[in-house]
Amino acid sequence: MSIMTQVSNLIIPAVIFYVVGYGMVSGVKTYECFLKGAKEGLRIVVDIMPTLIGLMVGVGILRASGFFDFIGVICKPVTGAIGLPTELVPLLAVKLFSSSAATGLVIDIFETLGPDSVCGRIASILMSCTETVFYTMSVYFLAVKVTKTRYTLAGALLSTLAGTIASILLGR
Amino acid sequence: MLNIIWAVMILVGVLYAGFTGHMAEVTNQALASTRDAVELCITMAGVMALWMGLMEIADKAGIVAKMTRGIGPFLHFLFPDIPKEHPARGYIATNIIANMLGLGWACTPAGLKAMGALQDLEKERGTYREGVASNEMCNFLIFNISSLELIPVNMVAYRSQYGSANPAGILAPAFLATLVSSVAAVCFIKWKDRCSRKAVHG
């Protein structure tokens, strides 16, 4: 794991160095550009703020009610057999439909178990490995009025499954 | 989709709390969650501003365009039947690169244009069937959903907000995992392509 950690720690400084360096060499007004992009970044956060408030309240209510523990108990026989922490079950299900709702669940896991717990690590990796299957399919196919999606769902689910297994193995 | 998920979460939560006597916890948690969300957004604001600022430089310096051209051979491998000059190619390339760099705002518009261009391609070929996805549409979406995000900036931000000792520590394993899902997608696409070629050529 220590090599993985070292590589991880290198990535962001390397990207920052490369982008700013390349920008300077190619004569871009780096700071002006940065400010323009940063403004856009702030606008994005303001846009997602209501979503995040709504979803975190939803997830918070569901957790405080004890419902997650109930799901965990129900799923225990299955998840125990394949070595999947029960806390991840709601996340796996919701992630197929909505990435923002899944984000709410991940943050909940960070809050209750911590980002460096096994669940926290698996959840972090899981969220960065695939897109939301049903959401993406509905938006993209709606744009061209396609209703017969043929083998798209099978392929997308297969790739999601592969990513999920990899996340669990790598997150341990 | 979210209209249903969100409403169900709230309704199930409140009902379940009513039956199990957790109403006080629900009240406290609902209020605490709003505060958490706002605090999280403050952390996010800094990270997103930094990242989008850097990406604006990358865009102006031509790094994004260079990367888009750079994946040409890969696109040819993935979509051998899309003609070199067809606009679909450019849109797909932009979509993939934007996805890799975590530029959500650039990703979806290019992706939707790619779908439109793939539809035009079917019409040009004379194989257009209304309401039915073409092979390329299926393949493009499968690859898109398999997502090849290089740096999940959001996750790093969330992790740092919740006191991770090493927020960026997941970058390398996350990259491996996203690589696995994408390789699985490519294998599936190539397998399906071979099946459909066999069906055409007998």
Side-chain angles (χ1 to χ4, degrees):
Chain A
M1 258 314 147
S2 80
I3 296 176
M4 283 256 221
T5 315
Q6 280 179 5
V7 172
S8 296
N9 289 337
L10 265 176
I11 294 175
I12 289 183
V15 169
I16 295 180
F17 184 84
Y18 177 76
V19 169
V20 175
Y22 194 100
M24 218 172 107
V25 171
S26 26
V28 170
K29 289 179 184 150
T30 48
Y31 192 60
E32 273 176 33
C33 273
F34 176 83
L35 292 184
K36 192 171 157 242
K39 210 172 187 176
E40 173 73 17
L42 286 181
R43 215 181 49 86
I44 293 174
V45 175
V46 172
D47 282 349
I48 62 167
M49 206 159 158
T51 321
L52 215 51
I53 293 176
L55 287 163
M56 284 178 70
V57 168
V59 174
I61 289 179
L62 213 48
R63 172 161 54 85
S65 75
F67 189 72
F68 283 162
D69 305 329
F70 171 66
I71 290 186
V73 172
I74 291 181
C75 297
K76 191 82 195 172
V78 183
T79 53
I82 54 172
L84 176 76
T86 47
E87 289 87 349
L88 291 174
V89 174
L91 176 61
L92 289 177
V94 167
K95 199 178 164 293
L96 292 175
F97 298 95
S98 155
S99 91
S100 36
T103 303
L105 288 169
V106 170
I107 289 161
D108 192 61
I109 291 174
F110 286 177
E111 251 181 3
T112 49
L113 303 166
D116 294 328
S117 65
V118 173
C119 277
R121 285 179 55 85
I122 295 179
S124 319
I125 299 172
L126 200 61
M127 285 301 285
S128 12
C129 99
T130 48
E131 291 278 339
T132 319
V133 176
F134 292 103
Y135 173 79
T136 311
M137 276 181 66
S138 61
V139 170
Y140 278 55
F141 276 135
L142 200 67
V144 286
K145 298 190 179 66
V146 163
T147 47
K148 293 202 171 58
T149 60
R150 299 173 57 215
Y151 58 84
T152 313
L153 183 61
L157 287 178
L158 177 87
S159 127
T160 303
L161 180 70
T164 305
I165 295 172
S167 306
I168 294 170
L169 294 178
L170 288 161
R172 274 177 210 271
Chain B
M1 193 72 82
L2 260 180
N3 288 323
I4 298 169
I5 297 181
W6 188 73
V8 167
M9 281 198 311
I10 302 247
L11 298 179
V12 169
V14 173
L15 281 179
Y16 193 83
F19 283 120
T20 53
H22 284 111
M23 280 304 198
E25 284 91 329
V26 166
T27 310
N28 291 337
Q29 188 56 51
L31 296 175
S33 293
T34 56
R35 195 189 54 229
D36 291 346
V38 174
E39 277 176 11
L40 184 65
C41 282
I42 291 171
T43 308
M44 282 277 293
V47 176
M48 284 302 279
L50 171 64
W51 188 252
M52 297 311 271
L54 284 172
M55 285 306 129
E56 182 72 26
I57 299 176
D59 192 30
K60 281 276 146 44
I63 298 178
V64 176
K66 208 173 87 179
M67 286 178 80
T68 308
R69 280 196 306 277
I71 61 164
F74 175 70
L75 275 192
H76 183 71
F77 165 74
L78 209 55
F79 303 100
D81 296 333
I82 301 180
K84 271 234 149 57
E85 306 306 324
H86 201 275
R89 212 171 249 274
Y91 292 135
I92 293 176
T94 309
N95 175 271
I96 293 176
I97 293 299
N99 195 333
M100 278 174 131
L101 298 175
L103 303 170
W105 50 270
C107 209
T108 312
L112 297 182
K113 279 190 188 137
M115 291 301 273
L118 287 176
Q119 192 177 33
D120 295 341
L121 180 64
E122 283 303 296
K123 284 177 182 160
E124 288 160 27
R125 285 173 179 159
T127 49
Y128 176 65
R129 284 178 295 165
E130 205 181 324
V132 180
S134 69
N135 286 357
E136 271 104 359
M137 286 181 193
C138 296
N139 294 350
F140 169 55
L141 261 188
I142 293 171
F143 188 75
N144 179 297
I145 290 171
S146 84
S147 161
L148 200 58
E149 193 174 356
L150 293 181
I151 303 174
V153 202
N154 291 354
M155 269 306 130
V156 178
Y158 298 149
R159 288 169 58 80
S160 102
Q161 168 75 18
Y162 286 97
S164 167
N166 188 356
I170 50 122
L171 289 181
F175 178 69
L176 284 181
T178 190
L179 202 61
V180 167
S181 67
S182 297
V183 168
V186 171
C187 291
F188 183 86
I189 290 169
K190 283 285 147 193
W191 174 66
K192 273 287 169 194
D193 267 2
R194 256 178 61 188
C195 290
S196 67
R197 256 165 247 269
K198 266 189 192 148
V200 171
H201 299 296

